Amino acid sequence: MSYSRLESWWRRVALGQQETEADGDAPVALAEPPDTAARGPAPVALAEPPPGNGGGAAAGHPGRDGAAALAEPPPGNGGGRPVEADVAAEAAAPVKLPVLKAADFASDQDVRWCPGCGDYAILAQMKKMLPSLGVPRENIVFISGIGCSSRFPYYMNTYGIHSIHGRAPAFATGLKAARPDLMVWVITGDGDGLSIGGNHLMHAIRRNLDVNIVLFNNRIYGLTKGQYSPTSPLGKKTKTSPMGAIDNPLHPLSIAIGCEATFVARSIDTHIKHLEKVLRRAAEHRGTAFVEVYQNCNVFNDNAWQYASDRRTKSEHTIELEHGAPLVFGHDRQKGIRLNGLEPEVVALGNGTTEAGLLVHDEKASEPSLAYLLSRLRHEDGFPEPIGVFRAIDAPRYEEELAAQVASARARSGGGDLNALFNSGETWTVS
Amino acid sequence: MTRESTAAVSTEAPPVSPGLPASTKETIRLDGATVRLAGDSGDGMQVVGGQFTNTSALHGNDVATFPDFPAEIRAPRGTLAGVSGYQVQFASRDIFTPGDTLQALVAMNPAALVTNVGDLEKGGILIVNDESFKAKDLKLARLETNPLEDGTVDDYRVIKVRLDTLNREAVREVEGLSSKLQDRCKNFFALGLIYWLFGRGIEPTLRFVREKFGNKPEVAAANEKALRAGWYYGETTEAFDHSYQVEPARLAPGTYRNVIGNQALAWGLVTAAKLSGKELYIGSYPITPASPVLEELSALKHFGVRTVQAEDEIAAICSAIGAAFGGAMAVTSSSGPGIALKGEAMGLGMILELPMLVINIQRGGPSTGLPTKTEQSDLLQAMFGRNGESPLPIIAARSPSDCFEVALEAWRIATRFMTPVILLSDGYIANGSEPWEIPNMDDLPRISVEHPAPQANGKPFLPYERNERLARPWALPGTPGMMHRVGGLEKEDVTGNVSYDPENHQHMTNVRAERVARIADDIPLQAVDGPPRGKLLVLSWGGTFGACTSAVEECRAGGLSVAHAHLRYLNPFPANLGEVLAAYDRILVPELNTGQLRMLVQSRFLRECVGLNKVKGKPFTVSDVVFKTRELVA
C-alpha cells in the first residue's frame, strides 16, 4: 500500500466515514516548525487547527472545542499515517509541505544514555526515518514505560509520555482509542515489556491497535544496574543470579506471534540501514507492529549480541528475511534453511542441493506457524537468527472497530439526546 | 402494620390497573411501609424488588431501596448463604433510607425466613411459601425444627401460601413451558400478592414483562398469569380482610423517574462530557459493585462514549490517562481492590496534571472482603493510597440520584484545576434507587474547557506554566508548535523538563499541594441543617446521608437540639468547616468504617470527635444513629 493510499484510508477512518466514500480533498497544511522556517529551505506552511481544538482560541466555546477533539480531526494531512509528500501536495494547491530533517525531530534535551549505548543508534534511525513519512511532528506521540530505553520520548520533538513501568501499551491503547488520528509509538525494553508489562504487551498486540511497539532487547536490567532480565539466557550470571539464571528465557517474537500479532519484525542496533528499513515497515503497517531490536548494553551486558552484530560474523549468524525469497545466508550465500518434516535444518547449497528445496519466506501467510518457526531459530542451536519482517498481515484494528461501533450506534440512535435518555422508561409528573 | 400513627380506615377503593376489578375489601391508609422480598439467589428477588420499587415510584411514593445479595451467583440452593433480599421503603412523605424495620416480609424458603424475620416488626405481615418447608428444605437450611411450628413466627401475622401449587395452576395453560420454567414464575406470583396488599397497579410490571420477554412470548405470558394470579389470591383469600394504601408523596413539582445509583453515575458522566464538549472515554475492568457503570456506558455509544474493557485495573487507568492526554474526558471506575492496583498510575496522573476521574464504588474490605456488601473504608486509601506526596481532590456521592450531580462536579473540578479527581460512591448507593427529578439539559451549567491554540511564534511551549489556580495548560497532541513530553520523573516548573534540582522538587511538591488546597475557594461553603451552634453536630459523608438525615430529624422532632452537616467534599474540606465545627460542643461522626473521616477531621482541626462506627456490610439504620445521638445530647 502506498503512502497516499494509507493517508486516504486514515482520513476516512478518522472522519468516521465509510470506506466507499470519496477520499477527502482538503488541502494539506502543516504547521511550519519555527526552526525549519528559520533555516529556510521549506516554503511557509499554514498552521492547521489541531484536532483537539476547533481552531484558534478555545476559550468561550467549550462545546465546540471539546467535541472537535475526538470527532473532527483536521482536514488534509492532519493524520498520524504516513503520507507521500508530493502526492498529497498535488491536492493542496497553495501550500507546500515543509521538508523536515532528522534534526527537526530532536528535542532540546541532552541525551543521557551511557556513551556507547545501542540506544543512540535506534534514536538516530528513528529520527532519520520519521521525516520521510510526511507525518507532522505534532501528530506523533511516543509513549514509554520505565527503563533505559524508556527515556526515548524525552529526546524526540514530538508529543510524548514517559509513563510507568511496563504500562506503555495500556497508555497507547487509551490514546489511540480516543484519538485514532495520531501516530503512536511505544518504546519498551525486555524488562519493561516482557516482565512487569507482559500482560499489557499481550493485550495490545491481540487487539491490533494501529500502534508501533519497539522493544529494545539487551537481555539485562540496565537502569537498575545489572540484574538478569526475562530474555537473559540460562546460566547468565548477574548481581541477582550469581550462580547463573535458572529462569527459562522468553523470546519476544514468539510471544508476539502467539498473541496473533499482525506485524512482527527484528533488527539490530548496529545494522543501521536495516534498522531504518524495519522501522519504516513498522510505521507503514496498519495494526500493531511489533519490532524487536537487538540492542547492546555496553555497561552491564556488553557484546550480548556480538555474534549477530559483528561485521565479520553477522552474515553467518543472521539471515535477512525477504518476502518471496528462499532462506539463504552465509558469507558467500552458500547455506540455506529447509524443512525436514516439521523441523528446520541448515543445509549447504551446491552438490545437487539448490535453492529450490529451501524454505521460502512468506510474510503474508495467514497461518503463523512458519513465522513462529522462524522466531524459534536460535544461535545457540546452530541456526542463523532471522532479521527483517517475519509477518505482515492485514486484520481489523481495534480503534477502527471501536469508532465504527460508535458511528453505527449514532446512525441507529441519532446522535444521542440526553433529555430523551433521562425521560426514557417510566416517568411521572408532580404538578 | 402499626408503625404509622396516621393509619386510618378508608372506604375509598384503591386505584387498580385496567383489567383488574376494584378491591372489595377495606383499605387502610398508611403514610409509609417497608417491605422485604427474600429468597434464594436464583429466585428472582432482585427482579421483583426492582419492579415493586418502580411501580411504587410511578404511584408517586418516595422510595428508597436496599438490595442485599450474596457474592455467589447461585449459592447452593436453599442454604443460608444463598439468601438474596430486596428491601424497599415507600412513603407519602420524604424518606432518606430503605427503613429500619419491616412491616411485611416475603420469605420464599426457610433460609430466607430465619435470616430475615428478625427485622420484621412485631405483628408484621409474614408471607411464606409453606410448600418450601419440607424436611429436605429444612435440612438445606440446616434447621433442626420447622420455624413455622417451633415458635419462631409466633409474633407475626403469618400468611401461608401454597405458592408452588398456586403458581403452577396459574401458568398451566401456557404451552411450551417446562415445569422448571413454570416454577420460575413464582416470584411474579409473590409480587402480584404484595401489589394487591399495598394497592399497587400491575400495569408497569406488565409492560416490563412484555418488553423483557418480547422474544419469548410463552415466558411473558406465564409471568403475566402468575402476577395476576397473585393479585387475585390476595383479593380472594380469607387470610387478608383488608389491604393498605400509601398515598403519593408531596414531592416538588417536576417530572420524576426512578434511578439506581450506578445508572445515575453513568448518566452523569455522559452529561458532564456533553456539558464540557468532550467525548467520554472509560477504561475499566469488571469488579463488583462497579461493573454496572462500565456496562451502562457500553450501551451509550451513540453519545460518542468509547468504552474499553481493559486487561486489568492497571491498564484501565493507564488507558484513561492516555485518553486524557489525547483530550478526552477520561474515566476509570472500580472498587477498593482495583483502586489499590491503580495507585501508581494515580500518582502519575497527579504529576502529569491531567484531568480525569477515578471512581471508587466502595465495598466491604480489606482484601477481597465483602464484594457485595457496603462499607466506607476507602477514604484514607483515597487520601493517601499513593507513594510520595500526591494529593488528589476527593468528592463523595450521598445518595443514588446524587451520583449524577457529583459526576458533573467532579469533572468540573478536574478540568478547572487540571487534576485527577477521586469520586467515592459505595455499594449501598450504587445498587440502591430513589426518585430523581429529571433535569433539562438546557438548565445545566456548561463546563468550560480550554486548550491552547497552535503557536507558531518560535517560542518553546511551556507545559507547566500555571494560571491563577495553579493549573497548567491542557495542550493536545495534534496542535502544531506545542509538542511536549510529560512523565513521572520530577519536572521543572514551567518547562516540564526532567529536573533533579532539590529546590525545584520542594517547590513542585508545594505547588501540587497548594493547587488542590485552592479548590476550597471554588466550592460551596459547608451548609448546616439545624441550629447554627449548640450541643451537637452530626458530621457525615457519603452514603450515610439518608440515615443521618432521618435520625437528626427524628431527634429534633423529639425536642433535641442537634445539627447535621453532610460533607460532599472530602479533600479539600470546605473553607468554613473549621468554623462550623467550632460552633458545637461535641461532634459525632457516624461512618461505616473504624473512624477514617474522624481521623482526618481530628488531625486537621485538632478537635476531638465522637465516632459511631459499624462494619457489618450493612448501612446504618436510622435507630443506630438516633440511639447514639440521644446518648450524646441527653
Side-chain angles (χ1 to χ4, degrees):
Chain A
M1 178 177 283
S2 73
Y3 289 163
S4 56
R5 271 206 57 207
L6 276 171
E7 167 60 10
S8 58
W9 158 79
W10 166 79
R11 196 180 298 150
R12 283 195 300 269
V13 169
L15 295 174
Q17 293 169 343
Q18 297 303 310
E19 285 277 353
T20 51
E21 288 185 29
D23 290 354
D25 57 359
V28 171
L30 290 178
E32 180 63 13
D35 48 353
T36 309
R39 231 175 286 120
V44 174
L46 297 178
E48 182 65 14
N53 180 330
H61 298 281
R64 158 92 180 124
D65 300 335
L70 298 171
E72 295 174 33
N77 180 17
R81 295 308 316 175
V83 57
E84 200 168 343
D86 54 352
V87 174
E90 279 172 24
V95 189
K96 286 187 182 172
L97 283 169
V99 178
L100 296 177
K101 296 189 172 126
D104 296 320
F105 280 87
S107 76
D108 60 356
Q109 297 298 292
D110 294 333
V111 183
R112 295 191 196 175
W113 287 313
C114 305
C117 176
D119 290 358
Y120 283 97
I122 308 173
L123 180 65
Q125 293 318 306
M126 183 67 82
K127 288 195 288 200
K128 191 172 164 202
M129 182 277 292
L130 283 178
S132 65
L133 299 178
V135 177
R137 293 173 301 180
E138 62 268 20
N139 288 339
I140 301 174
V141 184
F142 279 87
I143 304 178
S144 63
I146 296 295
C148 292
S149 60
S150 287
R151 298 298 176 94
F152 198 98
Y154 287 124
Y155 309 137
M156 297 296 300
N157 189 16
T158 61
Y159 286 84
I161 305 176
H162 177 219
S163 76
I164 49 178
H165 205 7
R167 322 298 174 197
F171 289 89
T173 300
L175 178 61
K176 190 71 184 177
R179 291 288 302 276
D181 56 305
L182 300 171
M183 168 177 263
V184 179
W185 291 82
V186 169
I187 304 295
T188 184
D190 42 317
D192 187 63
L194 296 174
S195 199
I196 193 167
N199 191 33
H200 309 303
L201 186 72
M202 177 167 96
H203 287 277
I205 291 173
R206 63 123 174 164
R207 290 191 181 107
N208 198 36
L209 290 134
D210 187 12
V211 300
N212 311 310
I213 303 174
V214 186
L215 186 145
F216 297 15
N217 185 3
N218 58 17
R219 312 188 86 172
I220 198 79
Y221 280 85
L223 197 59
T224 49
K225 303 187 179 177
Q227 301 81 13
Y228 67 100
S229 89
T231 56
S232 295
L234 281 173
K236 175 75 180 173
K237 288 186 176 171
T238 71
K239 288 174 185 167
T240 51
S241 58
M243 298 171 72
I246 53 175
D247 308 35
N248 222 5
L250 290 173
H251 303 301
L253 298 191
S254 299
I255 290 171
I257 293 165
C259 297
E260 311 292 334
T262 56
F263 182 95
V264 175
R266 176 190 284 150
S267 192
I268 302 170
D269 55 3
T270 53
H271 203 337
I272 55 175
K273 283 190 177 145
H274 185 265
L275 177 58
E276 187 196 348
K277 194 166 68 184
V278 165
L279 291 176
R280 186 193 313 283
R281 285 288 311 273
E284 290 166 5
H285 177 70
R286 298 170 53 196
T288 302
F290 183 80
V291 180
E292 176 190 22
V293 182
Y294 287 177
Q295 175 247 325
N296 191 41
C297 173
N298 58 320
V299 174
F300 294 107
N301 200 18
D302 198 16
N303 293 326
W305 305 112
Q306 192 179 22
Y307 62 88
S309 59
D310 191 301
R311 224 171 261 283
R312 292 159 299 186
T313 57
K314 67 179 182 186
S315 56
E316 288 293 317
H317 295 156
T318 62
I319 182 165
E320 215 167 312
L321 299 174
E322 201 180 320
H323 180 56
L327 295 179
V328 177
F329 69 104
H331 285 308
D332 44 12
R333 297 184 60 79
Q334 280 303 304
K335 285 187 256 187
I337 293 176
R338 72 178 179 198
L339 277 188
N340 182 1
L342 289 173
E343 299 287 330
E345 62 183 11
V346 173
V347 290
L349 297 175
N351 294 330
T353 307
T354 68
E355 290 188 3
L358 299 181
L359 195 54
V360 173
H361 182 48
D362 179 8
E363 63 183 37
K364 308 285 181 204
S366 56
E367 163 59 42
S369 297
L370 281 178
Y372 183 75
L373 181 143
L374 294 176
S375 78
R376 302 278 302 165
L377 297 181
R378 303 269 142 240
H379 175 64
E380 66 254 36
D381 297 334
F383 286 103
E385 295 188 349
I387 59 173
V389 177
F390 288 56
R391 181 164 170 79
I393 61 160
D394 190 52
R397 285 143 302 268
Y398 183 87
E399 72 279 6
E400 288 173 47
E401 300 285 300
L402 183 59
Q405 285 191 346
V406 169
S408 131
R410 280 185 154 146
R412 208 171 49 236
S413 305
D417 176 349
L418 281 165
N419 284 328
L421 176 70
F422 299 158
N423 286 281
S424 62
E426 311 271 3
T427 66
W428 71 99
T429 298
V430 176
S431 50
Chain B
M1 202 62 54
T2 54
R3 194 169 77 97
E4 307 302 340
S5 55
T6 54
V9 176
S10 164
T11 52
E12 286 173 41
V16 291
S17 294
L20 290 178
S23 175
T24 56
K25 292 184 182 173
E26 195 173 62
T27 303
I28 294 178
R29 192 174 292 174
L30 304 173
D31 78 350
T34 298
V35 175
R36 187 184 296 165
L37 299 143
D40 238 2
S41 46
D43 274 346
M45 293 296 100
Q46 301 301 320
V47 172
V48 291
Q51 281 305 302
F52 190 84
T53 305
N54 202 38
T55 299
S56 296
L58 286 172
H59 181 72
N61 295 140
D62 197 0
V63 296
T65 68
F66 179 41
D68 189 22
F69 42 89
E72 294 76 17
I73 304 304
R74 295 279 187 276
R77 197 175 60 81
T79 61
L80 300 178
V83 174
S84 170
Y86 193 105
Q87 179 173 327
V88 52
Q89 178 171 207
F90 51 104
S92 59
R93 62 197 150 80
D94 272 2
I95 50 169
F96 301 96
T97 76
D100 284 11
T101 54
L102 310 173
Q103 280 75 58
L105 170 66
V106 177
M108 301 294 277
N109 64 22
L113 174 67
V114 297
T115 52
N116 289 282
V117 77
D119 294 331
L120 184 61
E121 67 180 18
K122 282 196 176 175
I125 296 173
L126 174 63
I127 298 170
V128 293
N129 174 12
D130 74 342
E131 290 176 322
S132 67
F133 284 73
K134 301 191 184 86
K136 70 169 172 45
D137 302 307
L138 301 177
K139 196 177 165 194
L140 283 170
R142 300 201 177 161
L143 297 172
E144 308 267 314
T145 57
N146 186 340
L148 297 180
E149 294 161 2
D150 65 4
T152 304
V153 299
D154 285 358
D155 287 341
Y156 312 107
R157 268 181 70 194
V158 182
I159 314 293
K160 295 180 186 174
V161 183
R162 293 179 299 122
L163 207 56
D164 294 350
T165 305
L166 290 170
N167 174 65
R168 279 201 184 177
E169 282 173 7
V171 304
R172 194 178 45 203
E173 295 166 15
V174 180
E175 288 184 11
L177 219 56
S178 65
S179 60
K180 193 176 164 189
L181 279 177
Q182 286 180 340
D183 286 348
R184 287 180 67 173
C185 300
K186 271 190 295 194
N187 56 339
F188 279 90
F189 187 97
L191 180 64
L193 175 54
I194 61 165
Y195 274 167
W196 177 86
L197 187 60
F198 291 101
R200 325 264 92 166
I202 63 171
E203 278 302 310
T205 296
L206 291 181
R207 288 196 290 272
F208 165 82
V209 164
R210 285 165 194 159
E211 188 173 326
K212 183 169 173 73
F213 302 109
N215 54 356
K216 292 175 190 162
E218 70 284 2
V219 175
N223 279 321
E224 181 171 340
K225 283 189 180 296
L227 184 71
R228 286 182 189 279
W231 194 94
Y232 280 114
Y233 180 78
E235 180 67 17
T236 53
T237 180
E238 290 174 3
F240 292 115
D241 54 8
H242 53 257
S243 66
Y244 301 91
Q245 183 64 17
V246 176
E247 296 291 315
R250 283 173 291 277
L251 298 171
T255 300
Y256 290 79
R257 62 169 298 132
N258 193 42
V259 282
I260 301 166
N262 274 341
Q263 174 193 29
L265 180 55
W267 290 8
L269 296 173
V270 179
T271 305
K274 180 84 173 175
L275 292 171
S276 59
K278 287 290 173 193
E279 290 193 358
L280 183 60
Y281 173 91
I282 182 167
S284 286
Y285 184 77
I287 184 171
T288 302
S291 303
V293 178
L294 177 61
E295 292 165 3
E296 185 82 28
L297 290 172
S298 299
L300 297 178
K301 290 203 167 67
H302 53 296
F303 290 94
V305 180
R306 290 171 199 233
T307 58
V308 169
Q309 181 176 313
E311 58 269 24
D312 61 30
E313 296 282 0
I314 299 172
I317 184 170
C318 291
S319 76
I321 296 174
F325 185 71
M329 174 182 168
V331 177
T332 188
S333 56
S334 187
S335 189
I339 299 294
L341 287 167
K342 294 181 199 290
E344 186 190 13
M346 287 164 71
L348 180 72
M350 194 254 358
I351 199 170
L352 296 187
E353 302 185 30
L354 284 170
M356 61 180 296
L357 303 186
V358 179
I359 296 170
N360 181 354
I361 317 287
Q362 299 166 95
R363 66 191 215 185
S367 188
T368 307
L370 300 169
T372 59
K373 309 298 179 189
T374 197
E375 212 162 277
Q376 293 182 294
S377 47
D378 297 343
L379 177 58
L380 295 184
Q381 180 195 42
M383 277 296 286
F384 305 119
R386 295 167 291 285
N387 60 303
E389 297 287 346
S390 54
L392 288 176
I394 305 168
I395 177 171
R398 68 183 197 185
S399 72
S401 68
D402 190 48
C403 292
F404 179 86
E405 286 177 34
V406 160
L408 304 190
E409 178 64 351
W411 181 237
R412 186 190 72 82
I413 293 172
T415 52
R416 212 165 142 67
F417 290 86
M418 286 295 284
T419 175
V421 172
I422 298 176
L423 191 165
L424 297 178
S425 173
D426 65 47
Y428 168 63
I429 53 183
N431 291 323
S433 57
E434 65 178 357
W436 176 51
E437 189 185 346
I438 300 171
N440 189 313
M441 279 303 288
D442 295 338
D443 301 334
L444 295 173
R446 308 291 108 172
I447 297 172
S448 170
V449 178
E450 298 176 10
H451 300 292
Q455 105 183 352
N457 58 7
K459 290 182 187 161
F461 170 61
L462 300 171
Y464 281 77
E465 197 169 42
R466 298 171 186 283
N467 66 13
E468 69 282 2
R469 294 184 298 277
L470 301 179
R472 74 178 191 89
W474 190 7
L476 304 185
T479 315
M482 313 294 269
M483 285 82 75
H484 65 282
R485 278 66 54 193
V486 292
L489 288 169
E490 183 59 282
K491 44 192 61 38
E492 188 177 64
D493 204 8
V494 184
T495 66
N497 291 330
V498 174
S499 168
Y500 300 102
D501 176 54
E503 295 303 321
N504 178 73
H505 180 52
Q506 180 77 54
H507 169 72
M508 289 296 272
T509 302
N510 296 348
V511 165
R512 287 188 289 257
E514 175 63 17
R515 189 170 45 103
V516 172
R518 285 191 190 181
I519 295 171
D521 301 331
D522 206 59
I523 58 177
L525 293 177
Q526 181 60 46
V528 176
D529 175 36
R533 54 189 62 254
K535 276 189 177 175
L536 182 70
L537 176 75
V538 175
L539 183 67
S540 59
W541 71 278
T544 60
F545 169 76
C548 293
T549 302
S550 302
V552 170
E553 276 184 6
E554 193 175 322
C555 287
R556 280 211 295 268
L560 298 179
S561 172
V562 187
H564 178 209
H566 186 83
L567 289 171
R568 167 180 276 186
Y569 304 92
L570 281 315
N571 193 39
F573 288 131
N576 64 332
L577 186 59
E579 292 164 40
V580 168
L581 301 181
Y584 298 89
D585 298 342
R586 302 183 86 176
I587 296 154
L588 171 65
V589 185
E591 295 178 87
L592 299 175
N593 57 43
T594 58
Q596 300 194 1
L597 175 65
R598 183 160 44 104
M599 179 187 287
L600 294 176
V601 168
Q602 289 184 155
S603 67
R604 167 74 190 276
F605 300 105
L606 301 177
R607 264 305 295 276
E608 194 183 347
C609 302
V610 179
L612 170 60
N613 301 98
K614 171 167 130 174
V615 278
K616 297 180 177 177
K618 292 184 174 204
F620 281 124
T621 61
V622 175
S623 57
D624 286 338
V625 184
V626 167
F627 185 81
K628 188 71 182 175
T629 306
R630 285 192 175 139
E631 180 188 302
L632 292 178
V633 286

